[in-house]
Amino acid sequence: MLSFERVRIRKADPVKRVGTFELEPLENYNDGEAIAEASRCIGCNMCSAACPASLDIGGYVRSTAAGDPAQTIRIIMETLPFPAIIGRVCTHMCEDVCVLYDGGGPIAIRHLKRYAADKFDDYGEILKPQKRKFIGKRVAVVGGGPAGLTVAYYLTLQGVKVTVFEERPALGGFMKTGIPRYRLPQNVLDKEIGYILSRGVQVKLNTAVGRDVKFEDLMKEYDAIFLGVGNHKPRMTGTPGSDAPNVMHATEFLERVSFGEKINVGETVAVIGGGFTANDSARTSLRLGAKHVYIMYRRRDVDRPGYPSMNADEEMEEAEEENVEYVWEVTPFEYVKENGRVVAMKYWKNEMVSQGKGRAKPVPIKDKFYTIKVDMVIEATGQETDYSFLGSYVEKLRLNDRGEPIVDQYGMTSIPGVFTGGDSTNPNRDLISAVRDGDIAVQGILRYLNVMDQVSYDDLPLLDRFKPYSYTAAAEAYASRGLE
Ligand code: SF4
């Protein structure tokens, strides 16, 4: 039956879900729910201006409403090779601009993507891809994360031979190491990465460029190179006491847990930071047995990374359902050690001082400090990219004042034939934006290789076909509703 109200997604019981990594917080729509929800969409495609991968959202929501999830997958995979992954963890900025936001709620675009993707174990059965003849070009992809795998997939469809060099023992990049398994199950990663590999992508795991293979050799052996290396180098606060073994950066913590390590976090964990990685670290700590978990952020809730957005609110809501406690406007200044381990944290409260333009600055009020007992501290305080693996080429890589490579409109760096994208350059630092960068680089690489006259346009990821993408559309739409 047609309804104007968004069809609610069921959630797993928070008490049950914090006891395991196996239970996804959000359940899936059934057929009737998905069709009812999709039937609300008016197909205007206003939302595509906020989708980095510029998906034909109106088109695939309509095919879902018509009971044709196979067509939904065909449309999504025009520019995005991870429907089930993005259907679970996308920041879904498209929903923030949906014209039905104030008319029963935005279309549940992300949930509908997952619904369609989970219908199929093998996308080959519905996509029926044709194998292209080798067009005589070889491309190396450094890093098997979302940007690198997107490049590998769409170039392989064009008959380019692609080899992915991944230093870890598994593909996925941040999808594997940074997003916990309760939000993104391993079998979902395996299905979608497995499909990409089935197209003929070559992979060298446990192979670090700069250590096991010289970058200079890749430059000689390949016609072009894509760097999808992410930003895995931790940025620690340097707070006194942070050299203790029970103080860890979030990227290391999440990566070790993602590879199966059961880290002993004790009873009480303090996570420093306010973004999505802080949330994931806090909720992972609960699943490792912590009883009290605090997220301690130096600014206000409305200043946290990722806000204003519906996604940031949903993530905080899910964390609060699991009893994660947020402590806003604080500055930790000492991790107190006993016998070499941190046992407590001292912090000041902050006041937010207006700077005129831009965000207010947190300033600690130092005449009084507070102490909490902690068994573990996790610093989710950002990370950066280490380019030393480029060897002699590192000097040729021009960086901007934020330390990110300067690229042209197709993602080519200052080193001819070397392209990059994803978390190391994209200000959004989310998966769907990494996919966008991969799509852009595919076109750039094909142009650089001078093979545009041989491409199959049906398999070329073409962006901004419906509305030009805007980096700010979603935040502006969300903020304009006065939800801050
Ligand atoms: S803006 Fe909303 S109604 Fe319009 S196509 Fe997108 S999801 Fe459908």
Side-chain angles (χ1 to χ4, degrees):
M1 195 176 71
L2 197 60
S3 162
F4 291 113
E5 294 299 313
R6 177 173 162 125
V7 178
R8 290 174 69 86
I9 200 82
R10 288 177 301 279
K11 286 184 177 177
D13 178 352
V15 175
K16 285 194 187 138
R17 68 191 198 221
V18 294
T20 174
F21 282 88
E22 305 297 322
L23 194 56
E24 292 186 66
L26 303 183
E27 298 181 8
N28 199 356
Y29 280 147
N30 61 33
D31 292 342
E33 289 168 333
I35 289 171
E37 176 60 10
S39 299
R40 298 171 57 233
C41 173
I42 60 172
C44 61
N45 255 341
M46 294 300 286
C47 46
S48 77
C51 174
S54 93
L55 293 173
D56 176 8
I57 297 169
Y60 78 71
V61 175
R62 258 198 316 276
S63 59
T64 309
D68 189 355
Q71 179 63 3
T72 297
I73 296 303
R74 286 186 208 105
I75 294 172
I76 292 171
M77 296 216 25
E78 289 169 351
T79 56
L80 163 65
F82 308 111
I85 293 171
I86 293 288
R88 285 170 166 79
V89 300
C90 189
T91 44
H92 62 94
M93 295 174 274
C94 50
E95 295 181 33
D96 288 338
V97 303
C98 175
V99 293
L100 298 180
Y101 202 104
D102 300 313
I107 298 295
I109 300 167
R110 180 175 60 171
H111 301 331
L112 290 174
K113 202 182 281 109
R114 170 186 172 181
Y115 161 78
D118 283 6
K119 288 271 176 201
F120 306 100
D121 291 332
D122 176 8
Y123 299 144
E125 286 170 16
I126 50 174
L127 297 172
K128 303 201 183 334
Q130 305 295 314
K131 196 148 176 68
R132 282 288 305 276
K133 246 180 43 218
F134 177 46
I135 61 166
K137 301 292 181 187
R138 290 182 168 76
V139 170
V141 169
V142 182
L149 289 173
T150 298
V151 169
Y153 176 65
Y154 290 112
L155 283 182
T156 302
L157 294 188
Q158 298 293 346
V160 175
K161 279 206 170 126
V162 180
T163 304
V164 177
F165 294 83
E166 170 55 56
E167 68 173 313
R168 293 176 177 76
L171 290 172
F174 196 75
M175 302 186 290
K176 166 70 180 168
T177 63
I179 300 180
R181 293 291 71 80
Y182 64 88
R183 287 213 293 137
L184 184 46
Q186 186 62 44
N187 64 336
V188 175
L189 278 170
D190 290 344
K191 178 177 85 167
E192 299 205 322
I193 294 172
Y195 181 67
I196 290 171
L197 300 189
S198 76
R199 300 295 84 231
V201 176
Q202 300 296 305
V203 177
K204 291 184 189 293
L205 295 176
N206 298 306
T207 307
V209 175
R211 182 191 68 200
D212 305 307
V213 184
K214 279 192 181 158
F215 185 76
E216 289 85 346
D217 291 340
L218 295 188
M219 287 294 283
K220 284 183 208 137
E221 287 167 28
Y222 292 88
D223 299 299
I225 297 177
F226 179 79
L227 308 177
V229 292
N231 53 357
H232 297 272
K233 186 178 170 191
R235 215 181 274 145
M236 298 290 285
T237 61
T239 303
S242 58
D243 56 340
N246 54 340
V247 178
M248 206 178 280
H249 193 273
T251 53
E252 183 194 345
F253 174 70
L254 291 172
E255 177 166 345
R256 283 168 56 179
V257 176
S258 84
F259 280 105
E261 195 175 332
K262 304 264 184 293
I263 295 176
N264 180 3
V265 295
E267 289 248 321
T268 305
V269 176
V271 180
I272 314 299
F276 298 131
T277 305
N279 265 7
D280 284 338
S281 301
R283 297 172 71 188
T284 294
S285 299
L286 289 171
R287 285 157 177 80
L288 290 169
K291 300 285 177 261
H292 311 285
V293 180
Y294 303 99
I295 290 182
M296 310 189 68
Y297 185 52
R298 61 199 172 123
R299 300 174 187 270
R300 303 166 299 179
D301 59 346
V302 294
D303 302 314
R304 68 196 192 276
Y307 189 85
S309 70
M310 186 177 168
N311 185 57
D313 279 345
E314 287 169 344
E315 294 229 350
M316 195 162 120
E317 183 182 301
E318 284 177 32
E320 287 183 327
E321 286 166 358
E322 295 174 5
N323 280 335
V324 171
E325 204 172 306
Y326 290 84
V327 187
W328 307 110
E329 296 174 57
V330 290
T331 298
F333 65 91
E334 185 186 346
Y335 305 149
V336 182
K337 288 199 283 189
E338 261 178 38
N339 301 322
R341 291 182 69 81
V342 170
V343 294
M345 175 193 292
K346 290 181 181 172
Y347 64 94
W348 294 300
K349 290 191 176 168
N350 297 337
E351 62 180 339
M352 302 301 293
V353 177
S354 170
Q355 301 290 293
K357 267 184 164 181
R359 293 199 301 176
K361 189 176 167 197
V363 177
I365 307 164
K366 295 190 177 177
D367 48 8
K368 184 171 177 197
F369 72 85
Y370 302 80
T371 306
I372 54 167
K373 288 196 159 108
V374 292
D375 298 304
M376 174 137 192
V377 178
I378 300 168
E379 295 195 342
T381 44
Q383 53 266 0
E384 55 201 26
T385 306
D386 179 3
Y387 287 103
S388 58
F389 71 90
L390 292 176
S392 60
Y393 279 87
V394 77
E395 283 160 23
K396 297 189 171 77
L397 187 73
R398 285 185 57 212
L399 304 176
N400 62 23
D401 53 10
R402 294 185 303 278
E404 300 156 351
I406 295 168
V407 295
D408 70 9
Q409 60 173 325
Y410 290 115
M412 190 158 85
T413 67
S414 51
I415 308 172
V418 177
F419 294 74
T420 192
D423 280 358
S424 55
T425 56
N426 197 298
N428 283 348
R429 309 253 190 270
D430 65 351
L431 295 189
I432 192 70
S433 301
V435 170
R436 176 183 181 84
D437 289 349
D439 288 340
I440 289 170
V442 167
Q443 292 199 46
I445 291 169
L446 292 169
R447 281 180 165 76
Y448 176 79
L449 297 177
N450 206 13
V451 292
M452 284 305 282
D453 56 338
Q454 297 179 55
V455 304
S456 153
Y457 277 85
D458 285 347
D459 294 321
L460 198 62
L462 294 173
L463 296 175
D464 302 342
R465 296 164 294 169
F466 307 99
K467 293 258 179 322
Y469 171 63
S470 156
Y471 271 99
T472 54
E476 283 164 7
Y478 199 73
S480 72
R481 299 190 180 96
L483 299 171
E484 291 174 75

